[in-house]
Every structure is written in structure tokens, then in C-alpha cells.
Amino acid sequence: MTEEEIYKKAIEKWRISTQVMMAMGECGELTAELNAFFNQGKSSIERVVDEIADVEIMCAQLRLIVGAKAVEDRKAFKVERLSKILSGDIKHPHA
């Protein structure tokens, strides 16, 4: 079974609303782990990596839920904007 097939089965089994809530929870756990590791020195890189993996799995499911093409298009726009900010072609909106 491919990753995409696994993600589709998870969405089918637990439903969209549950997977969205799970994604939110995983993002929160990553936030907490990043804070613990980088700000408090109380975690490990292995725990951070574990949470990143969880978030990536949930983001892959979210892409299927909201439409991968829409996410790809918006990501391409944002990467291009970042490139222009880095090259100085446009000013960073938060600078």
C-alpha cells in the first residue's frame, strides 16, 4: 500500500473531522517540543524529529482533504515570494 493509500484509508476510517482535530493536536505537540528543545533545553532532537514526522503525516492527509493542487499552487507562490525576499527584490512584510 502506498503512503497516499494509507492516508486515504485513515481519513475514511476516522473521518475528516477527526483527522483535522488530530492534525491540530500534532501541530500543538510539535510547537511544545520545539519550545522545550530550543528555548528550554529540556527535550531532545529525537523527540523534535518524531513530532515533525507526525505533523508531516497529518499535513499529507490535510492535503488530500483540502486539495493537493491548491496547496501546491499556494506553496509555489510562497516559495517564489521567499526567494524574492531573500534576493532583495521585495521587502519582507514583517521587516
Side-chain angles (χ1 to χ4, degrees), residues 56-67:
E56 285 191 0
I57 289 167
M58 296 314 301
C59 282
Q61 291 178 57
L62 291 173
R63 289 171 65 93
L64 293 172
I65 291 166
V66 303

Side-chain angles (χ1 to χ4, degrees), residues 10-25 58 61-62 65:
I11 294 165
E12 183 181 313
K13 179 175 178 127
W14 291 300
R15 306 286 180 222
I16 289 172
S17 60
T18 301
Q19 294 312 92
V20 168
M21 293 298 289
M22 180 66 75
M24 292 166 46
M58 296 314 301
Q61 291 178 57
L62 291 173
I65 291 166

Side-chain angles (χ1 to χ4, degrees), residues 15-59:
R15 306 286 180 222
I16 289 172
S17 60
T18 301
Q19 294 312 92
V20 168
M21 293 298 289
M22 180 66 75
M24 292 166 46
E26 294 297 349
C27 287
E29 290 176 18
L30 175 57
T31 298
E33 213 56 58
L34 289 169
N35 182 56
F37 183 73
F38 289 102
N39 294 331
Q40 300 172 1
K42 294 181 177 179
S43 185
S44 67
I45 196 69
E46 291 81 12
R47 290 175 68 173
V48 170
V49 167
D50 193 56
E51 294 305 330
I52 291 170
D54 288 342
V55 169
E56 285 191 0
I57 289 167
M58 296 314 301
C59 282

Side-chain angles (χ1 to χ4, degrees), residues 78-92:
K78 288 182 175 257
V79 169
E80 179 63 24
R81 183 180 65 186
L82 176 59
S83 175
K84 289 177 180 178
I85 290 167
L86 293 171
S87 68
D89 290 343
I90 62 173
K91 184 178 176 185
H92 190 284

